[in-house]
Amino acid sequence: MSRFLIRLLPLALSAWVACLHAQVPVQTAGALVVVPAYGEVRQPNDEARATLMIEEQDKDKTAAASRVNQKMRQGTEIVRKEDPQAVLKTRGYYTYPVYSDEPQPRQGSRPPQIIAWRVGQYLDVVTPNLEALPRTVASAQRVLALNSLRFGLTEATTRKIDEQRIAVAYRNLTDRIAAIAKAMGRSPADAVMDTVDFEASGAYAQEAHASKAMRAAPMAMQESVEVQEPSFEPGETTLGLRVVAKVRFK
């Protein structure tokens, strides 16, 4: 073997190895790609949902019910006066006996002794007037007790935000399609959407109705007692939307 061939052999071997490792172009024509995307919008809360309640206990069931009826009527009038925009709904009127804790004798079939009656009722308040909310609650607390409070978005704001989150989610989808096309060595113009599926992400589950509140312990209140206004921070609600598209490349 000549010296020329000996020198050429390593070069030929290197070229042959390079050919083995060379990537074969992947054909993407007609490829169907599933592309997930997500859009999220945050909005300050503009609605409050408060639950006020009253509970009385007395040996006389009629006396307990009478006080509950009177205080609920007074509390309702106070809320209406302080916040004419509020939507009110009474619910959950209950009456049940309170039994003695003393141990009963083993012999005999005497039922447990009723020592009192507990009567109560709830008042739901929905209002967009967050500025007056502390004053409204403080005034109502002279008669009723605040059982729960949560903030959310009005229906009008929710509809407005729904349009925004659809736009944000779709924009994220087109950006991801463009990025995928670039990674595949294709032009975004070659991508054709076959299917677009919008579905709720579940990020605003905090807007669903809260579970039934537990009954609070009875509290003795006097209408003449001034209650200091509480401090509330409405916060914000995050609404998200998930979209999945099937994209076919030409």
Side-chain angles (χ1 to χ4, degrees):
M1 184 179 295
S2 64
R3 293 182 179 179
F4 175 77
L5 292 177
I6 292 175
R7 292 177 180 177
L8 186 61
L9 183 58
L11 297 177
L13 289 174
S14 298
W16 180 69
V17 172
C19 290
L20 289 178
H21 290 282
Q23 293 184 354
V24 179
V26 178
Q27 297 297 324
T28 57
L32 183 64
V33 182
V34 179
V35 184
Y38 182 75
E40 186 176 274
V41 178
R42 294 184 178 181
Q43 178 71 23
N45 291 323
D46 59 355
E47 182 180 81
R49 292 178 175 269
T51 298
L52 302 167
M53 61 89 64
I54 182 65
E55 185 177 275
E56 292 288 337
Q57 182 171 313
D58 198 288
K59 292 182 179 181
D60 186 347
K61 180 169 59 176
T62 303
S66 180
R67 291 200 301 271
V68 166
N69 297 345
Q70 180 183 13
K71 291 185 177 182
M72 180 56 70
R73 183 169 55 252
Q74 293 173 347
T76 301
E77 292 174 354
I78 290 174
V79 174
R80 282 202 180 104
K81 179 181 178 181
E82 295 290 342
D83 187 0
Q85 300 181 59
V87 177
L88 310 182
K89 182 181 74 171
T90 55
R91 64 172 177 84
Y93 200 109
Y94 60 89
T95 303
Y96 61 89
V98 178
Y99 296 97
S100 173
D101 294 333
E102 296 180 1
Q104 299 296 323
R106 294 183 179 180
Q107 296 180 351
S109 58
R110 188 177 65 177
Q113 182 180 3
I114 298 176
I115 60 174
W117 290 88
R118 190 168 293 168
V119 182
Q121 189 177 19
Y122 294 91
L123 173 65
D124 290 335
V125 181
V126 180
T127 178
N129 192 354
L130 302 187
E131 183 178 354
L133 182 63
R135 183 183 67 249
T136 301
V137 171
S139 298
Q141 282 180 314
R142 290 181 296 171
V143 182
L144 306 178
L146 180 62
N147 182 262
S148 67
L149 176 65
R150 59 190 177 91
F151 296 93
L153 302 175
T154 61
E155 291 185 6
T157 302
T158 301
R159 287 193 298 269
K160 175 183 174 183
I161 296 302
D162 191 55
E163 296 178 1
Q164 294 181 15
R165 68 193 182 110
I166 290 175
V168 171
Y170 190 79
R171 184 164 57 248
N172 180 252
L173 175 64
T174 55
D175 291 343
R176 300 197 72 181
I177 292 174
I180 292 173
K182 181 179 179 181
M184 296 174 62
R186 302 294 300 271
S187 169
D190 294 336
V192 179
M193 289 192 189
D194 183 80
T195 304
V196 181
D197 179 20
F198 289 91
E199 59 179 356
S201 66
Y204 52 95
Q206 65 266 25
E207 291 184 343
H209 292 292
S211 59
K212 185 177 180 180
M214 295 180 62
R215 293 170 179 168
M219 300 176 62
M221 294 186 177
Q222 300 294 333
E223 291 185 55
S224 59
V225 176
E226 291 296 330
V227 180
Q228 294 296 319
E229 292 185 5
S231 298
F232 299 129
E233 294 294 336
E236 63 182 16
T237 293
T238 300
L239 297 180
L241 183 68
R242 197 161 37 122
V243 56
V244 178
K246 292 182 179 180
V247 180
R248 190 178 299 278
F249 284 90
K250 299 177 182 178

